[in-house]
Amino acid sequence: MSESDVATVTVSVFYGPVINPKDLNTYEILPQALIAVDPNGTIIWTERDVKPGNLQDYIKERLPEVPAPDGYEISVSLIELDDGEFIIPGFVDTHTHAPQMPNIGSGQQYELLDWLEHVTFPMEARFKDIDFAKKIYPEVVRRFINFGTTTCCYYGTLHLEATKVLADVVTSLGQRALVGKCNMNRNSPEYYCEASTEKSLEDTRKLISYIRSLKTGLVSPVLTPRFAISCTGDLLEGIGKIAEQDKTLAIQTHISENAGEIKFTKELFPDCDTYASVYAKYGLLRERTILAHGVHLEESELKMIKELGAGISHCPTSNFNLRSGMAKVGDMLDRGIKVGLGTDVSGGFSPSMLNAIQNASICSKMIALQSAIEPTNLSFSKSNFSGKQLSIATLLYLATLGGASLCCMEDKIGSFAVRKSFDALIVSVRAETENPSIWSATDGDTKNCQGHDIEKRLDAQLERFLFGGDDRNILKVYVQGKCIGGKAYKPKIDLQTVVTSSTN
Amino acid sequence: MSESDVATVTVSVFYGPVINPKDLNTYEILPQALIAVDPNGTIIWTERDVKPGNLQDYIKERLPEVPAPDGYEISVSLIELDDGEFIIPGFVDTHTHAPQMPNIGSGQQYELLDWLEHVTFPMEARFKDIDFAKKIYPEVVRRFINFGTTTCCYYGTLHLEATKVLADVVTSLGQRALVGKCNMNRNSPEYYCEASTEKSLEDTRKLISYIRSLKTGLVSPVLTPRFAISCTGDLLEGIGKIAEQDKTLAIQTHISENAGEIKFTKELFPDCDTYASVYAKYGLLRERTILAHGVHLEESELKMIKELGAGISHCPTSNFNLRSGMAKVGDMLDRGIKVGLGTDVSGGFSPSMLNAIQNASICSKMIALQSAIEPTNLSFSKSNFSGKQLSIATLLYLATLGGASLCCMEDKIGSFAVRKSFDALIVSVRAETENPSIWSATDGDTKNCQGHDIEKRLDAQLERFLFGGDDRNILKVYVQGKCIGGKAYKPKIDLQTVVTSSTN
């Protein structure tokens, strides 16, 4: 038996600075941490502080903890970070539209309803052509991955087949995702509207079965009534029943994005006094419901969302771009409502969660400024977030653990802990990334201008990454322990080939 | 005499799509334009529409128009653009701080006055060390150039010598610029404050002489009283006198950025009833005055600024980031006040004018939304811009011709016309630029989703560039006809070498 024939279990051990979100106000900085990941991508042990000189000994000591079948050898793959690099959890994009990526950066002159008519629906309709879907989706998912999105909540189009392709692509490329096809059987253009309630529900059930048959452990189906305007009451009712029968299913939809949308919704459902109560009426406001936007939510709606355990995907770039408004995220957080961030491509003009973070900061600052001028009466006694700008810790939380929590995946992803999955980014703010919006640590200034100890350096590097970073600073993207993207990742397979083979 | 010895005059002829700002509401799209640039960088002729088949003949026909000395041969360097590329005027960044670039993306937790104390002044003070300036400034200027800023209004530090270095660097790298040293003789930390009014004025005069002695034709001195808070009345008076004696000198300063700053200013100058009247009192509000921010300007200040012919550098990223507020640019434009855009590094977290454009759009949209809710009484009868979002045409204008006009350079730069200088960008939205925020023209979708004719394609490409572009999409940066930067530009000389040689 040659050496290469020995059966091995490979453990990946990451060594370097780790920035680990803890809660809305805190992240840990561990400048010399170790994270060991088993072959299934699960974190098996971590160590907060190991000096370089003790590294090899330390790893050897802890190898017996690796669960390996008898007769298997344990091989260690050590990934050591350079100065100017650090590890953070992967981003969770809690709201985006895969078929709208080809429109990215277009149509900024419109508000929501006109934008849907003139920009969005014409593009989405093209996904009726499955070859078009096979051509476009690999590039779409590849881009989200390379921007550091390890978990993504995707809206597909209304088409069953194209949305299967999207699920195939996500599966092939190894991203963690929720994938849903839009339910929309009214108030949509003739050329892009489902034929009937029955067909919409049938396709929804078929997609759920299909995605579950993929058995990836990473991709799950999600019920996706587009928004109340585009669904008849009986369609919402049917979707609500599917959700009731299977409480593991997530639901995603839009809420209270735009004044015109809210008005129209109330006209369509005259027996419901608020937008949220439409969804509640049909059993669509639940613990696993991800509500995009929530810009203009009323008091009673906020209470209802909190009570029913649903949460909000805050999409500030989109809300700015489509002139929807500024969601009061601080208020939601003070109420204990779950909040994540979303890029909302292409209402948002960037597929990058970094842009969502920057605009969430801006949104909170402008609300803080207004609050200082016009103090509002808050309905709760203690305000930690309302009327204040979001801190770096809060922003990082929302983009990672907050998003995970919104997707009910906080026991699995969003931060680093034993038994969680290793969904992570290796970030670099080094000069060779060639992103001119970051003044690099390796330029030798960070230390002096930001503080004298390593934690402060890492604080500064994190802030610079969040406010100036782009895809060039994301070297490696890991999902479930496997490297699936990033600037330093070389895919072994051609994108188009993967998709064609998996869907034929 | 060998062929290579023949004296030649080289004319650069650019052929391809040109997007040319005309006014606040309009840009021209010329899909097959020709621009001929003489060896001095001046546009000698243009042609709006030349078919590819007629190109060679057309150029030959117009060669006699090239002013060449007797005995010189005319050589033509033809630069033809590819599909997915277009030419726009270079960006004019009307407000930024060169020494703050090393802090980019830092200190977002602070408002203005605290940010100056904790982030800005400690960094600026380091430029007392001329070697530090020589190390940092080349990289700073290189970054601005590669982001497409062909003309830049730079604040240096208070140091004469370091600011000379900045002027040297800008000269070496070929950017068009205003360069000023900050006047600040009070309300600044002990370690970073000018010793006296006399010294401040003396150094100012020395810098003016020095920059003029460089005789580049591209770099000019600019009077730079930091802001009213940091200058005693007699210092402002002295600077006003210099301005009065030499009316060709530009002036740059800050105004009405932040509530705390305004309050403190009024306390310092109790005889002035507004912030603007402080500058007016000392003769610093003039046609060539560039006022950064103007977020909270009062009615009387707006009128005064208009009457005296000064203008505003709108810095939306900074105003968001430092929680200053949202400047009412539409209102200013309706009043006929000159407006340009500024990155305000590092109050702004991006050195890219594209980011300034995106945030100017966002700022205008949020103001439009508020105006729809709370209509204000406007003091002028016709509102073209107030309470409305800025269009793509307006945004492009502000970033180019508007900025040029604010700097009183609109007869020279900001758009393409015969006798103007060729300050331009070759932009690419092609896939090989590898910017994942742009869905490329070469992906074959732009045509179908945006319209059927070439002008609409170019409209779409421009919008995608403005909202998703970064330095990777800027292939070449021309100032005065010379390529000085961009992704496709390979500098012939090492940055550090240039600076060292020119300042030794």
Side-chain angles (χ1 to χ4, degrees), chain B residues 197 201 205 233-243 282:
Chain B
T197 299
L201 292 171
R205 283 190 210 96
D234 65 337
L235 178 52
L236 292 177
E237 192 182 343
I239 300 166
K241 279 184 186 159
I242 298 176
Y282 296 108

Side-chain angles (χ1 to χ4, degrees), chain A residues 437, chain B residues 89-96 143-144 146-153 175 313-317 340-345 350-361 395-404 425 465-467 469-471 474:
Chain A
S437 294
Chain B
F91 295 131
V92 181
D93 185 344
T94 57
H95 181 71
T96 206
R143 290 184 187 208
F144 280 114
N146 286 343
F147 271 121
T149 298
T150 49
T151 297
C152 198
C153 301
Q175 194 182 34
S313 172
H314 175 44
C315 304
T317 307
L341 297 183
T343 57
D344 191 23
V345 168
S350 171
S352 171
M353 283 288 286
L354 292 168
N355 182 277
I357 287 169
Q358 289 152 27
N359 282 330
S361 170
L395 292 166
L396 180 65
Y397 175 89
L398 293 179
T400 56
L401 199 50
L425 312 181
F465 170 63
L466 296 184
F467 283 83
D470 65 28
D471 55 299
I474 298 173

Side-chain angles (χ1 to χ4, degrees), chain B residues 40 118 137 170 181 229 327 331 357 430 479:
Chain B
N40 299 319
H118 295 290
Y137 279 147
V170 174
K181 67 156 237 75
I229 289 176
D331 184 24
I357 287 169
R430 292 168 64 85
V479 170

Side-chain angles (χ1 to χ4, degrees), chain A residues 101-109 123 126 132 135-136 139-140 143 147 319-321 323-326 349 351 358-359 361-362 365-366 369-370 389 392 436-439 443 445 448-450 463-464 467 470-472, chain B residues 101-109 123 126 132 135-136 139-140 143 147 319-321 323-326 349 351 358-359 361-362 365-366 369-370 389 392 436-439 443 445 448-450 463-464 467 470-472:
Chain A
M101 182 79 94
N103 282 338
I104 192 107
S106 300
Q108 59 76 48
Q109 70 268 40
M123 173 56 73
R126 298 182 68 191
F132 186 72
K135 176 169 174 258
I136 300 298
E139 179 65 21
V140 171
R143 290 185 186 206
F147 271 122
N319 296 339
F320 283 140
N321 191 44
R323 224 168 67 186
S324 303
M326 297 190 278
F349 52 74
Q358 290 153 25
N359 281 330
S361 170
I362 286 176
K365 286 177 177 179
M366 289 305 100
L369 200 66
Q370 288 178 343
Q389 69 187 55
I392 298 293
S437 294
I438 288 191
W439 195 266
D443 290 346
D445 293 302
N448 288 315
C449 71
Q450 286 296 331
E463 185 177 347
R464 284 159 189 261
F467 283 82
D470 65 28
D471 55 299
R472 290 172 283 194
Chain B
M101 182 78 95
N103 282 338
I104 192 110
S106 300
Q108 59 76 50
Q109 70 269 38
M123 173 56 73
R126 298 181 67 191
F132 186 72
K135 176 168 173 260
I136 300 299
E139 180 64 22
V140 171
R143 290 184 187 208
F147 271 121
N319 296 339
F320 283 140
N321 192 43
R323 224 169 67 187
S324 303
M326 297 190 278
F349 52 73
Q358 289 152 27
N359 282 330
S361 170
I362 286 175
K365 286 177 177 178
M366 289 305 100
L369 200 66
Q370 288 178 344
Q389 69 187 56
I392 298 292
S437 293
I438 288 192
W439 195 266
D443 290 347
D445 293 301
N448 288 315
C449 73
Q450 286 295 332
E463 185 176 348
R464 282 158 190 260
F467 283 83
D470 65 28
D471 55 299
R472 289 172 284 194

Side-chain angles (χ1 to χ4, degrees), chain A residues 214-227:
Chain A
L214 295 173
K215 292 190 197 310
T216 65
L218 295 177
V219 184
S220 307
V222 51
L223 295 168
T224 309
R226 186 172 198 123
F227 61 160

Side-chain angles (χ1 to χ4, degrees), chain B residues 16-190:
Chain B
V18 170
I19 297 177
N20 195 25
K22 300 300 283 180
D23 55 41
L24 274 164
N25 292 302
T26 331
Y27 57 81
E28 283 182 323
I29 291 193
L30 307 170
Q32 295 180 317
L34 274 179
I35 300 179
V37 180
D38 77 13
N40 299 319
T42 303
I43 298 172
I44 43 174
W45 50 261
T46 63
E47 183 53 45
R48 301 173 66 86
D49 186 20
V50 179
K51 301 281 170 271
N54 304 334
L55 186 59
Q56 297 297 339
D57 289 346
Y58 188 89
I59 293 172
K60 266 185 209 152
E61 246 172 56
R62 296 203 64 171
L63 277 190
E65 293 176 38
V66 178
D70 277 350
Y72 277 68
E73 286 191 4
I74 294 167
S75 122
V76 172
S77 163
L78 179 65
I79 297 103
E80 274 191 85
L81 272 62
D82 258 334
D83 187 46
E85 296 177 359
F86 55 87
I87 294 176
I88 59 170
F91 295 131
V92 181
D93 185 344
T94 57
H95 181 71
T96 206
H97 296 262
Q100 294 179 26
M101 182 78 95
N103 282 338
I104 192 110
S106 300
Q108 59 76 50
Q109 70 269 38
Y110 297 113
E111 284 195 25
L112 177 64
L113 300 180
D114 291 331
W115 171 80
L116 288 171
E117 179 186 341
H118 295 290
V119 181
T120 303
F121 290 151
M123 173 56 73
E124 289 195 9
R126 298 181 67 191
F127 286 79
K128 184 181 179 181
D129 173 4
I130 195 165
D131 291 329
F132 186 72
K134 285 181 184 175
K135 176 168 173 260
I136 300 299
Y137 279 147
E139 180 64 22
V140 171
V141 176
R142 167 57 54 217
R143 290 184 187 208
F144 280 114
I145 290 172
N146 286 343
F147 271 121
T149 298
T150 49
T151 297
C152 198
C153 301
Y154 286 115
Y155 285 57
T157 57
L158 63 71
H159 312 99
L160 172 62
E161 293 307 320
T163 310
K164 283 185 187 173
V165 171
L166 177 57
D168 290 340
V169 168
V170 174
T171 302
S172 296
L173 296 181
Q175 194 182 34
R176 193 183 302 275
L178 300 179
V179 175
K181 67 156 237 75
C182 289
N183 301 101
M184 41 193 295
N185 68 345
R186 69 163 166 177
N187 293 319
S188 306
E190 209 174 307

Side-chain angles (χ1 to χ4, degrees), chain A residues 131-340:
Chain A
D131 290 330
F132 186 72
K134 285 181 183 176
K135 176 169 174 258
I136 300 298
Y137 279 147
E139 179 65 21
V140 171
V141 176
R142 167 58 54 218
R143 290 185 186 206
F144 280 115
I145 290 172
N146 286 343
F147 271 122
T149 298
T150 50
T151 297
C152 197
C153 300
Y154 287 116
Y155 285 56
T157 57
L158 62 72
H159 312 100
L160 171 62
E161 293 308 319
T163 310
K164 283 185 186 173
V165 171
L166 177 57
D168 291 340
V169 168
V170 174
T171 302
S172 295
L173 296 181
Q175 193 182 35
R176 194 183 301 276
L178 300 179
V179 175
K181 67 155 238 72
C182 289
N183 300 102
M184 42 192 294
N185 68 344
R186 68 161 166 177
N187 293 319
S188 306
E190 210 173 305
Y191 65 84
Y192 188 58
C193 186
E194 290 182 298
S196 68
T197 299
E198 293 65 37
K199 176 81 168 111
S200 181
L201 292 171
E202 185 192 328
D203 283 355
T204 301
R205 284 191 208 94
K206 282 182 180 166
L207 183 70
I208 294 169
S209 303
Y210 180 78
I211 292 177
R212 287 182 170 164
S213 76
L214 295 173
K215 292 190 197 310
T216 65
L218 295 177
V219 184
S220 307
V222 51
L223 295 168
T224 309
R226 186 172 198 123
F227 61 160
I229 288 176
S230 71
C231 300
T232 55
D234 65 337
L235 178 53
L236 292 177
E237 191 180 343
I239 300 167
K241 279 184 185 160
I242 298 175
E244 178 61 27
Q245 283 156 12
D246 183 348
K247 297 203 176 59
T248 67
L249 272 171
I251 302 169
Q252 60 184 358
T253 189
H254 298 80
I255 197 166
S256 199
E257 179 176 0
N258 167 288
E261 171 216 17
I262 297 166
K263 187 164 170 283
F264 191 19
T265 302
K266 288 183 175 176
E267 284 166 18
L268 290 170
F269 297 90
D271 57 328
C272 298
D273 58 347
T274 63
Y275 198 153
S277 61
V278 176
Y279 293 138
K281 175 182 175 184
Y282 296 108
L284 294 167
L285 269 198
R286 303 173 160 271
E287 201 197 338
R288 290 179 182 274
T289 303
I290 301 163
L291 298 163
H293 308 303
V295 176
H296 307 282
L297 289 170
E298 299 169 24
E299 176 70 26
S300 67
E301 293 181 291
L302 290 161
K303 283 186 176 156
M304 183 181 272
I305 290 166
K306 166 65 183 159
E307 273 163 28
L308 296 173
I312 300 290
S313 172
H314 174 44
C315 305
T317 307
S318 170
N319 296 339
F320 283 140
N321 191 44
L322 295 182
R323 224 168 67 186
S324 303
M326 297 190 278
K328 293 177 195 69
V329 169
D331 183 25
M332 296 172 192
L333 295 176
D334 277 334
R335 291 168 187 269
I337 294 172
K338 294 180 290 186
V339 180

